[in-house]
Amino acid sequence: MFEQTAGSHVVELLKAWNVDHIYGMPGDSINELMEELRKEEQIRFIQIRHEETGALAASAYSKLTGKIGVCLSIAGPGAVHLQNGLYDAKKDKTPMLAIIGQVSSDLVGTDSFQELKMESLFEEATVYNRRVQKAEQLPDMLNQAIRTAYAESGPAVLIVSDDLFGTKIKRDKALTSPAYAKPHIRAAEEDLQSALKLLQAAKKPVILAGKGAAGGTAQVLAFAEKLKAPLIASFPAKGLIPDDHPHNLGQLGQLGTDPAEQAMKETDLLILAGTAFPYRDYLPDDVPAIQIDVDSKAIGKYYPVLVGLVGELAPAAAWLTAHLEDKEDVFLLKYQEKRKEWHDTLHSDMSKETERLQPQHVIAEVQAILEQDAVVSLDVGSVTLWAARYLQLTQQRLVVSAWLGTMGCGLPGAIAGKLAYPDKQVVSLLGDGGFSMGMQDYVTAVKYGLPMILVVFNNQKIQLIEHEQEEMGHKATETELANIDFAAFAHACGGEGYTAKTRSELRDVLAKAKVSRKPVVIDAYVEDSAPPS
């Protein structure tokens, strides 16, 4: 029998789960755990300046790697700040763990300083949400929290009074294990045969692929090529489905392309591949549909499907490819020509010289210095629309707050990207509104020596919302932003900052940023242009 603190058990188990860093801010309800982390060399503590940054970074890290992202906060205000990142992980279905301190166990329920009823606070935002009552429970509940996060692809919260971390517990054997066995789900043969019949009969099939294509891109592309079908990627799948693939028509919806929208109107068979695309207005009115998804609850959730294939996308696509007969390519050739015309238009937009810097010019210049295996962290706002249309990703990884769509996700995503892949180039595209929501954590990137390029599209307004207000027939209201000298801010934090007001200035500073060993902020003054529609 051996005796050690519950907090030291936590650290050992986190290592066993291959956790190598935690985002957090020290405080008075996690001091005992911080003492255990202080003595630990294999887990890096990343001290953020705002807990929301830590939670969004943990979510982004999980999206990029598939591994659980971990954050830590105190009770009360720190816990409240985590909500945005937890909801982001919940909506984008990615595993995450938040360990949250609580007031001393003998004070719980007495309405003491900084005490909140956190079990209720986190109920909707999580797939696992429990408060540890006794120190002896902590190791096993930690294992269960992480296991559930992986199994249900979402965030887990473990609430622990700080005194429990410091309590010594005796154990002669482990009761649970830090292990998760991932199931491999294959679609039923009879369902595959039903899908095959629909595919063989279709003259104008279209594949809409989502982030379920992760790990199965080759199989999805082979399926599209054998089917002779245009391929459309949901926005979270941008980059997973290479933009330069000849079948790829781009995205669909508000962030989409004309060829993708037109193909959807003309198709006679919709294949939803690893996506439960929720924007019904952009899908066909009434055509047969096949949906492939590992989650049976997603089948038919947003579109009435004739055949549901419950299983992983890669093996289902491979089976269908192997059994398909050769198809005619008339429909595909038509949309490949439309795709070429669309890309010619994009190239013309990006090549056109204007007196003032345009958003698409910024995208073009970033594209020119973007490395093949780069991580691109995208913020939310009009910059999302510009990137969706003009940024071409092939082997790069994109991370964004897709379903929650929270502004301020760009910088946390960049921090997570550099910690996940320290040898890769990390570039973040941000609006001035999104960046200023959490810009205090730029100093976190400086402190930990995380080279990255942060390109701020500075038009001194919340441009997308202004556009929406005017589209509704209203006058723009409270969308103007007081301008910030972001380059000066970067210097004040110990990083590098540059201002670009012309295309040539932007090209010059991007060249400097590419070779810098510091986090670089580029304050790109762009013309106030309506976002693409």
Side-chain angles (χ1 to χ4, degrees):
M1 182 175 291
F2 58 93
E3 185 177 77
Q4 63 185 113
T5 65
S8 65
H9 275 290
V10 167
V11 172
E12 287 184 358
L13 288 172
L14 289 173
K15 289 191 294 183
W17 282 103
N18 295 317
V19 172
D20 58 15
H21 71 284
I22 297 174
Y23 305 95
M25 171 66 77
D28 60 2
S29 56
I30 52 173
N31 282 330
E32 292 286 1
L33 181 56
M34 289 302 303
E35 174 60 15
E36 298 295 345
L37 290 170
R38 180 189 66 80
K39 296 181 285 186
E40 176 53 47
E41 296 181 355
Q42 294 182 38
I43 298 179
R44 190 179 184 189
F45 187 82
I46 305 299
Q47 179 215 70
I48 41 78
R49 298 302 178 96
H50 194 291
E51 290 88 352
E52 180 176 322
T53 300
L56 286 170
S59 178
Y61 175 83
S62 179
K63 294 175 193 178
L64 286 167
T65 66
K67 295 169 57 178
I68 196 161
V70 182
C71 58
L72 175 64
S73 87
I74 66 166
V80 172
H81 287 163
L82 297 179
Q83 285 278 46
N84 205 19
L86 289 166
Y87 271 107
D88 180 67
K90 178 75 175 291
K91 291 292 187 179
D92 283 350
K93 297 182 178 179
T94 199
M96 176 180 162
L97 172 68
I99 301 174
I100 302 175
Q102 179 57 292
V103 299
S104 180
S105 54
D106 61 348
L107 295 177
V108 172
T110 65
D111 198 21
S112 61
F113 177 67
Q114 291 192 330
E115 182 189 5
L116 296 177
K117 190 178 179 182
M118 289 188 292
E119 299 94 310
S120 300
L121 181 68
F122 294 114
E123 189 59 33
E124 187 187 47
T126 57
V127 297
Y128 180 95
N129 174 33
R130 296 286 187 273
R131 181 172 74 87
V132 178
Q133 308 254 10
K134 295 182 179 180
E136 289 78 6
Q137 300 173 311
L138 183 51
D140 303 316
M141 291 180 71
L142 178 67
N143 280 339
Q144 188 61 22
I146 296 175
R147 190 178 298 109
T148 305
Y150 275 120
E152 299 190 24
S153 300
V157 161
L158 200 60
I159 303 162
V160 190
S161 294
D162 194 35
D163 58 294
L164 300 186
F165 288 120
T167 300
K168 290 188 175 182
I169 57 177
K170 295 180 179 180
R171 287 207 158 186
D172 57 356
K173 60 182 178 181
L175 301 180
T176 60
S177 61
Y180 170 64
K182 183 179 179 180
H184 291 284
I185 304 172
R186 298 292 185 268
E189 175 90 14
E190 60 190 63
D191 294 332
L192 288 165
Q193 292 288 355
S194 298
L196 186 62
K197 290 178 182 178
L198 291 176
L199 292 168
Q200 293 293 177
K203 302 295 185 185
K204 302 176 180 180
V206 170
I207 300 169
L208 175 56
K211 64 178 183 178
T217 297
Q219 291 87 344
V220 173
L221 296 180
F223 176 48
E225 290 161 7
K226 184 72 176 286
L227 186 60
K228 304 292 194 298
L231 185 59
I232 299 169
S234 70
F235 189 62
K238 187 176 178 68
L240 289 175
I241 305 298
D243 282 317
D244 63 353
H245 191 276
H247 287 239
N248 189 356
L249 302 184
Q251 277 69 62
L252 185 67
Q254 187 182 13
L255 305 175
T257 69
D258 288 351
E261 184 176 346
Q262 292 164 14
M264 272 300 175
K265 290 179 179 178
E266 193 176 347
T267 185
D268 63 0
L269 177 65
L270 172 63
I271 302 107
L272 295 163
T275 180
F277 191 82
Y279 305 105
R280 185 64 176 82
D281 290 347
Y282 294 100
L283 296 176
D285 290 334
D286 184 23
V287 301
I290 299 166
Q291 185 172 356
I292 311 168
D293 205 292
V294 74
D295 183 1
S296 60
K297 297 191 299 296
I299 301 294
K301 185 174 182 179
Y302 296 109
Y303 193 87
V305 300
L306 280 184
V307 177
L309 302 178
V310 179
E312 294 163 37
L313 178 56
W319 189 97
L320 293 169
T321 302
H323 291 80
L324 268 171
E325 298 174 3
D326 288 336
K327 303 282 291 183
E328 294 183 356
D329 59 1
V330 176
F331 184 63
L332 173 64
L333 290 173
K334 172 183 177 179
Y335 276 94
Q336 284 182 323
E337 182 60 33
K338 289 179 178 289
R339 177 185 185 276
K340 181 181 181 301
E341 294 170 0
W342 177 262
H343 280 268
D344 287 345
T345 300
L346 297 184
H347 181 73
S348 176
D349 289 347
M350 291 188 286
S351 301
K352 191 180 301 179
E353 294 298 332
T354 58
E355 182 178 346
R356 297 186 64 184
L357 189 60
Q358 304 294 318
Q360 64 268 31
H361 294 162
V362 180
I363 298 288
E365 296 302 327
V366 169
Q367 188 86 56
I369 61 98
L370 197 62
E371 296 175 1
Q372 280 295 307
D373 63 348
V375 174
V376 178
S377 179
L378 183 60
D379 216 304
V380 169
S382 60
V383 67
T384 319
L385 276 68
W386 292 109
R389 175 158 296 187
Y390 292 100
L391 184 65
Q392 299 292 294
L393 299 181
T394 52
Q395 300 172 39
Q396 298 89 356
R397 294 294 307 277
L398 176 72
V399 63
V400 64
S401 174
W403 188 230
L404 185 63
T406 183
M407 290 174 66
C409 67
L411 175 58
I415 291 171
K418 199 62 185 179
L419 288 167
Y421 304 109
D423 297 328
K424 293 185 178 182
Q425 182 190 53
V426 173
V427 176
S428 184
L429 305 178
L430 318 100
D432 49 344
F435 183 52
S436 59
M437 277 190 167
M439 59 192 283
Q440 76 285 330
D441 270 292
Y442 171 72
V443 78
T444 301
V446 173
K447 175 180 178 178
Y448 291 103
L450 305 176
M452 59 182 65
I453 303 172
L454 307 173
V455 183
V456 181
F457 290 58
N458 190 348
N459 56 14
Q460 296 97 61
K461 63 175 56 178
I462 310 172
Q463 207 279 328
L464 180 59
I465 303 306
E466 179 176 279
H467 178 71
E468 288 178 356
Q469 290 176 349
E470 292 173 345
E471 285 284 295
M472 295 172 69
H474 306 321
K475 288 187 177 181
T477 304
E478 295 297 335
T479 56
E480 298 288 336
L481 297 174
N483 192 32
I484 298 171
D485 186 335
F486 293 111
F489 165 76
H491 284 295
C493 292
E496 288 184 29
Y498 301 100
T499 299
K501 295 187 177 181
T502 66
R503 191 163 187 170
S504 61
E505 288 176 349
L506 178 63
R507 189 176 298 128
D508 290 343
V509 299
L510 278 169
K512 294 177 182 177
K514 186 175 181 181
V515 297
S516 175
R517 299 310 301 161
K518 290 184 176 182
V520 178
V521 173
I522 297 176
D523 191 358
Y525 280 75
V526 294
E527 187 167 5
D528 177 22
S529 305
S533 58

